[in-house]
Amino acid sequence: MGRLNALLLLLPLLLLLLPATEAAENVAGSKPNIVFVLVDDWGYADVGFRNPAIKSPMFDELAHTGLLLDRHYVFKYCSPSRASLMSGRWPHHAHQWNIVPQTVPLGLNLNFTAMPAKLKQAGYSTHMIGKWHLGLKSEDYIPVSRGFDTMTGFLTGGEDHFKQTVECGTDFWTDRAPDHRNGTYDAYTYRDVVDQLFEAHSAEDPFFLYLSLHNVHTPLEAPEEWLDVYPVNSTCKSRRTYQAMVSIADNVTALVVKHLKEKKMWDNTLIVVSADNGGAPCSGSNYPLKGCKGTFFEGGVRSSAFANGGLIPQSMLGKSVEGYIHIADWYPTFCGLAGVDPSDSGPGKFPVDGVDVWPLLSGAANASTHDEILLGFNFTESDPEQGAIIVGDYKLVVGSQKASCDSLMYSPLDYPCTQGPAAPDCDPNCLYNIREDPQEKNDLYHSQKAKA
């Protein structure tokens, strides 16, 4: 491994030696800094603490020394998870489409008060880096119209990582104007923006960063210096590229942590890291969970997630939270930490569905605050009968899930590049005790129809 590659991997480890010093500005009652890192199409097993083939030292350390969010749920693909995060609603109360094609007038309901707009009411500076995927038909939908002070990134659902092109155009923006830094690997530009944001920010002011990384979404692309971190994979070339893309996401996150510590903001920070859905079929590994992105099986909707930061009580660090959390819960949780009313009622919008999970994170409560989680419900013409709900220990999955490359059939180190055998599907529905059977191997639907 070259000297540059070694330094790239050592950076996160060196950061961990930085003390979380007590900052004078972190007086009692000050508003905490909030960072949310969303990793795109990140497989459940595609992180070092679950898979030694992946080099992700910062993710590993944040999970080990913070809180592992073991039952964190999202939607089965990109845009609806983001809509839930930004609005606090279940996906079927926000939207369940993936906003394709790009020109249709769809996006996050303009009647909703988006998360950054709520936080601005509490005096936060609000910043977004990366993928939006919540509407672009008019300026009303874009991030700086929804409460973000600044935004650098792209508005669609995916693009070339090096050229920032999608279909026949370039999609790369800063605030409301095209950003002509396109042509550089996107995560490298995002690192530059992270540096700029922290250089300009006063540590006395509350800070919100939504780091919505494009990695590890297709197209699978990575610079040579990161490919060289990994040996040529015995399974296939694309898997090696995917692994490198995870390491890049880890590296950008490490830079954020570095700045938070150097600016003495860490002691008053909550950082949450999550996937937006399970790993994509035939590229990400969701082992040992069943299914993949695009399904309501656990491999599609139970995400890798963890939290850290000085805001979390010392007594909770190094633990695993087993209570249910949905990505919509971060809206009322962040509002609560900021001292803002999370309610958002009014004409043309459903009320907020998420619940404040800070009692679960802080140790004030030891049980889930959710009686049920509605993962999705009858939403598209192509899949009109699909849906899923969790109630207590049980999960009902409705309709054919059309899973492919089922990661139950492969170890995380040997995930295939070609289309694998489909997962056993629901006929017509499935019922699982996901506490006793997290791999969803034992379908109880026909034996316990009354419960279903």
Side-chain angles (χ1 to χ4, degrees):
M1 181 184 295
R3 181 176 297 177
L4 174 61
N5 297 328
L7 288 173
L8 289 169
L9 286 173
L10 282 173
L11 172 62
L13 297 175
L14 294 172
L15 300 176
L16 304 174
L17 301 178
L18 291 172
T21 56
E22 294 185 4
E25 65 270 22
N26 290 343
V27 296
S30 62
K31 298 181 188 300
N33 306 300
I34 299 169
V35 176
F36 195 95
V37 180
L38 196 63
V39 185
D40 204 352
D41 285 4
W42 189 23
Y44 186 80
D46 292 324
V47 65
F49 62 84
R50 292 195 176 107
N51 183 351
I54 303 289
K55 296 176 175 63
S56 56
M58 179 50 65
F59 288 155
D60 300 349
E61 185 65 21
L62 290 174
H64 285 313
T65 66
L67 277 173
L68 184 64
L69 309 177
D70 194 51
R71 299 280 176 167
H72 187 273
Y73 285 89
V74 293
F75 194 68
K76 65 178 184 172
Y77 49 66
C78 305
S79 183
S81 289
R82 297 158 200 274
S84 287
L85 173 65
M86 287 290 116
S87 73
R89 274 80 170 181
W90 297 130
H92 70 288
H93 284 161
H95 69 245
Q96 294 182 132
W97 50 77
N98 230 15
I99 312 185
V100 177
Q102 315 298 353
T103 55
V104 295
L106 299 174
L108 184 65
N109 188 329
L110 295 177
N111 293 315
F112 293 166
T113 306
M115 179 190 290
K118 280 283 190 181
L119 296 179
K120 282 193 69 63
Q121 295 173 13
Y124 277 72
S125 63
T126 57
H127 308 279
M128 180 189 163
I129 301 172
K131 171 177 169 177
W132 179 235
H133 205 190
L134 287 175
L136 51 74
K137 177 64 175 177
S138 74
E139 282 200 14
D140 293 338
Y141 286 100
I142 66 175
V144 289
S145 296
R146 307 307 301 266
F148 285 105
D149 293 325
T150 68
M151 179 271 189
T152 296
F154 65 104
L155 302 175
T156 54
E159 60 182 10
D160 187 281
H161 288 267
F162 286 99
K163 299 176 183 177
Q164 290 75 53
T165 52
V166 57
E167 297 178 358
C168 59
T170 300
D171 180 17
F172 205 63
W173 305 82
T174 287
D175 301 337
R176 300 180 188 275
D179 188 321
H180 297 292
R181 286 176 289 184
N182 60 290
T184 301
Y185 192 77
D186 49 14
Y188 286 8
T189 302
Y190 299 157
R191 290 192 313 201
D192 291 342
V193 177
V194 168
D195 287 336
Q196 293 160 7
L197 284 179
F198 279 97
E199 181 179 353
H201 180 72
S202 171
E204 289 78 17
D205 299 327
F207 176 83
F208 172 58
L209 173 61
Y210 174 38
L211 178 60
S212 179
L213 294 166
H214 190 197
N215 289 29
V216 291
H217 194 285
T218 54
L220 299 185
E221 298 171 327
E224 285 296 325
E225 62 184 346
W226 287 99
L227 292 171
D228 289 345
V229 169
Y230 291 91
V232 176
N233 190 279
S234 61
T235 308
C236 63
K237 178 181 178 181
S238 65
R239 183 63 182 164
R240 179 182 179 224
T241 306
Y242 184 100
Q243 292 169 330
M245 293 173 75
V246 174
S247 293
I248 295 168
D250 179 86
N251 180 263
V252 180
T253 305
L255 182 61
V256 173
V257 173
K258 171 179 178 289
H259 280 296
L260 287 167
K261 291 191 173 184
E262 287 183 346
K263 293 206 72 153
K264 300 182 179 180
M265 296 167 65
W266 180 257
D267 284 355
N268 195 32
T269 290
L270 174 65
I271 181 170
V272 179
V273 181
S274 175
D276 63 339
N277 45 250
C282 310
S283 60
S285 174
N286 302 303
Y287 181 90
L289 304 179
K290 178 179 180 176
C292 54
K293 174 184 179 180
T295 75
F296 284 118
F297 293 132
E298 292 288 274
V301 295
R302 181 176 165 190
S303 74
S304 270
F306 40 88
N308 208 314
L311 199 67
I312 298 174
Q314 286 286 329
S315 60
M316 293 297 293
L317 298 180
K319 294 186 177 181
S320 176
V321 173
E322 301 295 328
Y324 296 130
I325 299 175
H326 189 272
I327 195 168
D329 294 334
W330 298 113
Y331 183 99
T333 302
F334 294 167
C335 285
L337 292 173
V340 176
D341 182 359
S343 63
D344 187 34
S345 301
K349 51 187 173 182
F350 290 98
V352 170
D353 296 300
V355 296
D356 186 344
V357 295
W358 180 245
L360 203 58
L361 306 187
S362 65
N366 56 15
S368 176
T369 49
H370 278 290
D371 295 323
E372 63 184 38
I373 291 183
L374 191 47
L375 295 168
F377 175 73
N378 276 6
F379 58 98
T380 68
E381 292 182 5
S382 60
D383 298 302
E385 302 300 329
Q386 277 196 8
I389 187 172
I390 295 171
V391 180
D393 293 346
Y394 289 86
K395 176 181 172 186
L396 177 67
V397 181
V398 176
S400 171
Q401 300 303 301
K402 305 174 184 176
S404 58
C405 294
D406 179 22
S407 57
L408 271 177
M409 301 180 183
Y410 303 92
S411 76
L413 304 184
D414 296 315
Y415 200 73
C417 285
T418 57
Q419 191 79 356
D425 216 333
C426 297
D427 182 25
N429 308 315
C430 296
L431 179 69
Y432 304 103
N433 184 322
I434 53 170
R435 290 291 182 178
E436 296 180 357
D437 178 27
Q439 295 181 326
E440 296 172 306
K441 292 182 176 181
N442 184 22
D443 182 6
L444 304 173
Y445 179 74
H446 292 288
S447 63
Q448 298 190 31
K449 282 190 175 182
K451 183 176 289 292

